[in-house]
Amino acid sequence: MLSQIEGSRAVAEAVARCRPQVICAYPISPQTHIVEALSALVKSGRLTGCEYVNVESEFAAMSVAIGASAAGARAYTATASQGLLYMVEALYNAAGLGLPIVMTVANRAIGAPINIWNDHSDTMSQRDSGWIQLYAESNQDAVDLHVLAFRLAEELSTPVMVCMDGFVLTHAVEPVDLPDPSQVDAFLPALRPRQVLDPAEPVSIGAMVGPEAFTEVRYLAHLTQLRALDRIPVLARELRDVLGRGGTGLVDPYRCEDAETVVVALGSVLGTLKDTVDELRAEGVAVGVLGVTTFRPFPADALREALRRARRVVVLERAFAVGVGGVVSADIAAAMAGTPQRHYTVVAGLGGRPVTRDSLRSMIADAAADQLAPLTFLDLDHDLVRQATGGQP
Amino acid sequence: MTVQRVKFYQTGSFAVGNRLLDPAQRSTQARMDRANSITSGHRACQGCGEALAARYVLDAASRATDGQLVVVNATGCLEVFSTPYPESAWRVPWLHSLFGNAPAVASGVAAALRARGRTEIRVIGQGGDGGTVDIGFGALSGMFERNDDVLYVCYDNQAYMNTGVQRSGATPPAARTATTPAVGPQPGNTFGQGKSAPLVAMAHEIPYVATATVAGLRDLEAKVFRAMQLRGARYLHVLVPCPLGWGSGTGETIRLGRLAVETGLFPVFEAERGEVVAVTPIRRRLPVEEYLRPQRRYAHLFDPAVRSDVIERLQAMADRNVRRFHLEGKR
Ligand SMILES: Cc1ncc(C[n+]2csc(CCOP(=O)(O)OP(=O)(O)O)c2C)c(N)n1
Ligand code: SF4
Ligand SMILES: [Mg+2]
């Protein structure tokens, strides 16, 4: 049943229906509404069997989740931006220990300069942390991906972050079809942890591993992620059967079949992009969009397949690797190496700057004419830059 | 429990005292069915106070909880010497996550056990002084403030030993460490710095705070028992001499623990809800010099010249402890 609901509250409802047993929370915009809604669900008794822990930092949030998960509880937390960076050490630790924690990241820029608005700098900085990363295009997507995330995390015993654009999604009120508890129960079995701290069967978790086995441990983590590439489409299909909606899990091609130019992007900007492509298609421009839902593990085969026929690929980046350029582009270029395809990186929408249809239209037109610079900053205010550089371009 | 009968000819020996007690009152270590929570074969240095204290703490806690125990360990000597993969010295369920998060991880374990209806299983967090009073202090304070059902034990050897003896917030003034070298006009660690973690713990008004040393192992066990009778956040701060870091003989560990107490430098007490309820009185007060001399970390106070000025300042600290905690009261 569709309800008119804020993205954050919808996600909180979805998470609650996944029956987490420990939720830990530390506030940061734009994640706050999610954890507020969850605290109300626990406190009011609507979500039972769940401990809600108000921690003193994001580092503690992830650490409490680590302890809870190792002690056999389904653990959840949410954060964004500075908070994600504040928990980085624990983030790698959770992944290294193979703990099936699920976390929402309400994507937000990283300071300085401090900025609370949306881009993907936070999660992109953690792409190598060992966490699976799923990116939501819409609030409906965000809701369904959380259900998928718990199942995936627990099946593979590895943590999963669901990335949803801060404010653009978290604070948007739109119709969302919340999964019925019975649907979630049908899809998500009770947690059966791979290993649990239990006096009846004592285990030592988190030993010191030296050069003789460390590489193997990392290799095994890589194998787990590769297995996720196989499992995500299967689980996404199963979830689709239960819910009667949803994507295919890895990538989401839109009007790509005969497209000469394909724009690759992640997250909510895909909505604007699809509208723009519809307009351009009506005008006869052979353009398509490829949404990336799973960014870690990197779905290289699925991307290669989807981009095979394109003459040029524009990667629309909501983050930026200072001193290099694109983050997603680098992976895509590696996946497409050896093809004659042209590749463009467009950095757009940093720190919440709107990515407008007009800008996208001119970007695609420039690309189609092969007039786009290899690295472009969409809507860069050249006057402002000149002021700061004393006239330099 | 299996009881060892005392043979008549043993009754004159000092060691037999424990066996003259009622079986229930005997040291956990004297029991045939002790938990051996940390078994032999680990890689601690000879005479390591931390290894000894951890064994007494966890065996006592195991006994107090009938083995229903989960242990969370911060990074540090205790973690490194006990679990070089694929070996483990632990016979309790044991989790090491990071250096600065053990109290929070322990909170998470406690939350999970509550959610799973398994509150008969008790949680102990533990770490060195660096992991506790410095990098993990925020997490510790959070755990205290929420009154999470965790006993946190700090094994205080007064420096970052695992990384090679650097200064921590628990390093005493004048002590030489690798980052407070014995050079210049003020050799060793600076006066007027550092913190008392037990007093800060008390300020959280948690159910139980206690200090102990490896010189009083029965006292340590008793405090663990007391702590395990209570629910909520509890803190135990144990002074554990470290032969390597202190530059002391490997056979001096217990004696140094005793001297730290008898000089007044390390007050041994118990507090409930922020108020001191018991202190271990000093039987025979000794000058601080007796404690300082056997430790090479204080060698610069005696050689090439005796630094009476510095020793007097340390004596004044001990005197203040004695006044403040009423350590010279009647037994
Ligand atoms: C975030 C972080 N910083 C620094 C270290 C390095 N480190 C590991 S153990 C240790 C010293 C531990 O000292 P303490 O907690 O006093 O325990 P001890 O070894 O003395 O028993 C340090 C500094 C680390 N592992 N993690
Ligand atoms: S350095 Fe000190 S604390 Fe570490 S194992 Fe050796 S004696 Fe124990
Ligand atoms: Mg130490």
Side-chain angles (χ1 to χ4, degrees):
Chain A
M1 196 188 70
L2 283 178
S3 31
Q4 190 73 10
I5 187 171
E6 190 199 44
S8 298
R9 282 203 40 219
V11 163
E13 287 287 345
V15 167
R17 285 159 204 211
C18 295
R19 307 213 155 277
Q21 292 163 295
V22 174
I23 295 174
C24 22
Y26 192 83
I28 181 168
S29 299
Q31 151 267 33
T32 44
H33 291 186
I34 301 173
V35 292
E36 288 167 9
L38 280 164
S39 80
L41 285 167
V42 174
K43 212 132 208 244
S44 65
R46 278 190 54 210
L47 172 55
T48 54
C50 180
E51 292 290 322
Y52 188 96
V53 189
N54 280 300
V55 287
E56 73 286 352
S57 73
E58 287 87 356
F59 180 61
M62 188 45 60
S63 302
V64 167
I66 286 170
S69 187
R74 185 172 282 165
Y76 170 85
T77 188
T79 191
S81 180
Q82 315 297 138
L84 187 70
L85 294 203
Y86 203 72
M87 63 167 68
V88 168
E89 194 194 9
L91 218 55
Y92 275 72
N93 189 253
L97 294 174
L99 297 171
I101 299 163
V102 171
M103 172 166 67
T104 313
V105 180
N107 286 106
R108 163 182 155 180
I110 291 171
I114 189 164
N115 173 303
I116 63 164
W117 292 279
N118 167 237
D119 69 31
H120 292 166
S121 311
D122 49 6
T123 48
M124 284 297 158
S125 78
Q126 296 312 308
R127 63 182 185 172
D128 300 332
S129 62
W131 283 61
I132 290 174
Q133 288 194 346
L134 308 175
Y135 286 79
E137 176 182 341
S138 62
N139 283 343
Q140 185 65 63
D141 219 15
V143 160
D144 299 344
L145 283 177
H146 278 86
V147 182
L148 183 79
F150 279 103
R151 170 87 182 266
L152 181 66
E154 291 171 14
E155 204 181 286
L156 297 174
S157 208
T158 208
V160 178
M161 70 179 78
V162 180
C163 313
M164 66 188 293
D165 285 327
F167 294 114
V168 181
L169 294 182
T170 55
H171 288 54
V173 177
E174 56 183 18
V176 173
D177 195 352
L178 290 172
D180 277 352
S182 62
Q183 291 176 312
V184 177
D185 289 346
F187 179 76
L188 180 66
L191 169 64
R192 281 187 308 273
R194 186 179 61 178
Q195 223 180 13
V196 62
L197 294 166
D198 183 358
E201 235 177 299
V203 283
S204 301
I205 305 177
M208 174 146 206
V209 175
E212 65 285 353
F214 192 81
T215 308
E216 288 68 23
V217 175
R218 303 310 294 165
Y219 179 72
L220 288 169
H222 182 59
L223 286 188
T224 302
Q225 291 249 336
L226 294 186
R227 213 144 60 76
L229 283 179
D230 293 334
R231 290 303 295 160
I232 290 168
V234 175
L235 295 179
R237 193 178 324 120
E238 209 182 297
L239 186 61
R240 232 167 30 240
D241 290 345
V242 172
L243 299 177
R245 60 165 184 272
T248 56
L250 296 179
V251 296
D252 172 30
Y254 181 76
R255 306 189 79 165
C256 281
E257 313 79 42
D258 57 344
E260 293 191 350
T261 307
V262 174
V263 183
V264 180
L266 301 78
S268 63
V269 76
L270 285 165
T272 322
L273 263 172
K274 287 177 181 176
D275 286 353
T276 311
V277 161
D278 286 344
E279 278 175 19
L280 290 167
R281 280 283 182 175
E283 293 162 23
V285 184
V287 60
V289 179
L290 183 67
V292 178
T293 307
T294 303
F295 181 59
R296 281 294 179 274
F298 189 66
D301 289 342
L303 274 155
R304 252 195 302 277
E305 177 56 29
L307 295 175
R308 197 161 45 94
R309 285 181 292 267
R311 288 192 36 205
R312 58 188 79 77
V313 173
V314 180
V315 184
L316 191 73
E317 303 259 9
R318 306 291 314 278
F320 176 51
V322 182
V324 184
V327 183
V328 182
S329 327
D331 288 347
I332 291 183
M336 302 309 291
T339 67
Q341 220 164 50
R342 282 168 190 271
H343 283 246
Y344 301 99
T345 300
V346 176
V347 178
L350 294 187
R353 178 168 297 181
V355 182
T356 64
R357 225 185 291 192
D358 283 350
S359 302
L360 290 175
R361 277 184 70 102
S362 61
M363 172 194 87
I364 293 169
D366 287 351
D370 285 321
Q371 296 290 316
L372 201 60
L375 175 62
T376 303
F377 285 77
L378 198 69
D379 299 333
L380 187 70
D381 184 339
H382 291 277
D383 288 341
L384 201 55
V385 173
R386 265 191 292 272
Q387 272 176 36
T389 58
Q392 302 299 308
Chain B
M1 138 185 196
T2 330
V3 178
Q4 278 175 283
R5 292 209 169 280
V6 181
K7 297 200 182 96
F8 193 57
Y9 61 81
Q10 290 176 318
T11 48
S13 79
F14 184 63
V16 81
N18 185 56
R19 278 178 278 164
L20 290 175
L21 290 169
D22 184 69
Q25 292 177 314
R26 294 182 194 176
S27 163
T28 297
Q29 296 300 320
R31 293 165 66 102
M32 308 290 269
D33 61 351
R34 64 170 179 251
N36 277 327
S37 311
I38 175 167
T39 59
S40 56
H42 56 71
R43 299 170 185 202
C45 310
Q46 207 173 36
C48 174
E50 186 165 272
L52 180 67
R55 173 175 151 131
Y56 270 74
V57 165
L58 296 183
D59 280 356
S62 279
R63 182 173 161 197
T65 61
D66 214 8
Q68 298 300 297
L69 206 62
V70 171
V71 180
V72 174
N73 211 127
T75 310
C77 270
L78 182 57
E79 166 260 332
V80 171
F81 73 60
S82 63
T83 55
Y85 173 85
E87 296 161 18
S88 172
W90 300 102
R91 307 211 326 180
V92 284
W94 181 91
L95 170 65
H96 161 248
S97 172
L98 294 168
F99 188 26
N101 71 354
V105 174
S107 290
V109 173
L113 293 172
R114 234 172 11 249
R116 295 179 49 223
R118 299 293 308 275
T119 46
E120 80 281 8
I121 303 177
R122 310 298 302 277
V123 187
I124 289 190
Q126 58 181 8
D129 51 293
T132 305
V133 316
D134 287 344
I135 199 167
F137 212 49
L140 187 69
S141 177
M143 187 276 273
F144 286 164
E145 163 275 310
R146 291 186 302 268
N147 200 24
D148 290 334
D149 190 20
V150 173
L151 168 62
Y152 189 92
V153 186
C154 170
Y155 302 105
D156 179 11
N157 51 26
Q158 304 190 326
Y160 293 101
M161 296 312 178
N162 185 55
T163 34
V165 198
Q166 294 85 14
R167 176 207 182 269
S168 81
T171 301
R176 176 205 68 193
T177 68
T179 51
T180 53
V183 295
Q186 282 282 335
N189 194 31
T190 314
F191 276 85
Q193 298 184 345
K195 63 181 110 170
S196 163
L199 291 180
V200 184
M202 282 166 61
H204 291 76
E205 310 212 342
I206 55 176
Y208 188 69
V209 173
T211 65
T213 79
V214 287
L217 288 167
R218 296 307 313 283
D219 175 63
L220 177 62
E221 283 186 332
K223 283 169 177 164
V224 172
F225 273 98
R226 174 81 189 115
M228 296 321 277
Q229 281 163 2
L230 302 168
R231 292 275 174 177
R234 290 142 292 145
Y235 181 68
L236 186 54
H237 190 104
V238 193
L239 184 72
V240 291
C242 160
L244 184 112
W246 293 16
S248 52
T250 56
E252 296 285 278
T253 299
I254 303 294
R255 193 167 77 93
L256 284 174
R258 186 156 54 235
L259 288 170
V261 176
E262 293 190 342
T263 51
L265 282 171
F266 188 84
V268 175
F269 63 91
E270 284 176 291
E272 288 177 12
R273 301 241 167 252
E275 284 175 37
V276 175
V277 294
V279 301
T280 301
I282 297 172
R283 273 189 295 190
R284 176 175 58 109
R285 182 95 186 275
L286 296 169
V288 293
E289 212 179 306
E290 299 225 8
Y291 170 71
L292 305 174
R293 265 195 195 275
Q295 305 181 49
R296 282 199 303 282
R297 64 174 172 160
Y298 295 114
H300 54 279
L301 302 184
F302 303 99
D303 185 39
V306 177
R307 290 291 303 264
S308 328
D309 55 332
V310 180
I311 296 170
E312 271 165 28
R313 291 182 78 178
L314 291 168
Q315 185 62 55
M317 286 172 60
D319 295 347
R320 175 158 189 262
N321 280 340
V322 171
R323 281 196 310 276
R324 187 175 187 185
F325 293 94
H326 308 289
L327 299 175
E328 268 184 337
K330 44 198 174 310
R331 278 197 83 87

